[in-house]
Amino acid sequence: MRIRETVEKDLVFVDAIFNSARDFMRLNGNAHQWNQNYPTSRDVAQDIKSKRAFVCVNDDDIPIGTFALFDYEPAYDYIEGTWLSDTPYKAVHRIATVRKGKTGSFIIKFLEEKYEHLRIDTHENNVPMQNLLTKFNFKRCGIIYIPDHGQRVAFEFVK
């Protein structure tokens, strides 16, 4: 596996990955974090233009995971809790994988090795993602609010 920037030909795979992730979330008690309108390849197409869309690919260069990486997230300006650091960070959004192998672990490990400071949020019912984050070196910091998406549990990693 490896991580690379998403390109337009990946978008059909990205939609399949999001659909797989939605199914997995529903089966694991998290039916409300994502719906059929979000996220989609349209969101990722915008991220490609901004150079913030990434895929995890298998040995055949087929996308098996996706995520977006932002330099700043306005919703993180207010937290019910406390961030670990006020230094510049990367905000990770829309991590999704096919349900084979350890793709999510590979993505998180890649991010921790590449960046000094990361923030990420997830739905309170997304227990598998919360477990993945705490399995690595992310710390739960509190609750944030995403406009049109509601309350989220906020996590942070600082090297």
Side-chain angles (χ1 to χ4, degrees), residues 85 87-90 110-119 137-138 156-159:
S85 174
T87 62
Y89 60 88
K90 293 288 185 182
F110 167 85
L111 291 168
E112 286 186 348
E113 290 173 357
K114 186 166 175 80
Y115 299 101
E116 299 284 322
H117 188 185
L118 299 162
R119 290 181 179 171
N137 296 307
F138 280 78
E156 186 171 35
F157 163 80
V158 181
K159 246 185 216 175

Side-chain angles (χ1 to χ4, degrees), residues 1-4 13-14 17-18 20-21 24 54-59 61-67 92 94-112 120 128-129 132-133 135-136 138:
M1 283 187 278
R2 69 183 176 88
I3 304 292
R4 65 168 171 76
F13 295 101
V14 168
I17 292 166
F18 286 146
S20 174
F24 178 81
F54 298 88
V55 287
C56 178
V57 297
N58 64 17
D59 293 339
D61 202 45
I62 303 297
I64 56 175
T66 182
F67 64 95
V92 185
R94 299 190 305 265
I95 291 180
T97 68
V98 295
R99 300 307 314 155
K100 294 188 250 177
K102 300 285 184 184
T103 310
S105 293
F106 185 86
I107 291 170
I108 296 296
K109 186 174 179 186
F110 167 85
L111 291 168
E112 286 186 348
I120 188 170
M129 177 56 81
L132 177 65
L133 294 170
K135 173 183 166 185
F136 287 88
F138 280 78

Side-chain angles (χ1 to χ4, degrees), residues 1-95:
M1 283 187 278
R2 69 183 176 88
I3 304 292
R4 65 168 171 76
E5 284 189 19
T6 307
V7 294
E8 203 165 312
K9 71 177 180 143
D10 297 327
L11 293 178
V12 66
F13 295 101
V14 168
D15 266 335
I17 292 166
F18 286 146
N19 287 334
S20 174
R22 274 190 274 277
D23 290 343
F24 178 81
M25 284 191 263
R26 272 192 297 277
L27 290 171
N28 286 276
N30 183 20
H32 303 291
Q33 182 171 352
W34 289 352
N35 60 45
Q36 292 305 314
N37 298 317
Y38 179 85
T40 68
S41 60
R42 289 185 308 274
D43 301 299
V44 178
Q46 290 299 316
D47 293 338
I48 289 172
K49 292 176 186 173
S50 301
K51 301 281 189 197
R52 60 185 180 217
F54 298 88
V55 287
C56 178
V57 297
N58 64 17
D59 293 339
D60 296 320
D61 202 45
I62 303 297
I64 56 175
T66 182
F67 64 95
L69 202 57
F70 292 71
D71 290 329
Y72 171 71
E73 171 53 65
Y76 294 170
D77 287 348
Y78 174 76
I79 185 170
E80 291 176 2
T82 306
W83 292 115
L84 302 173
S85 174
D86 291 329
T87 62
Y89 60 88
K90 293 288 185 182
V92 185
H93 288 299
R94 299 190 305 265
I95 291 180

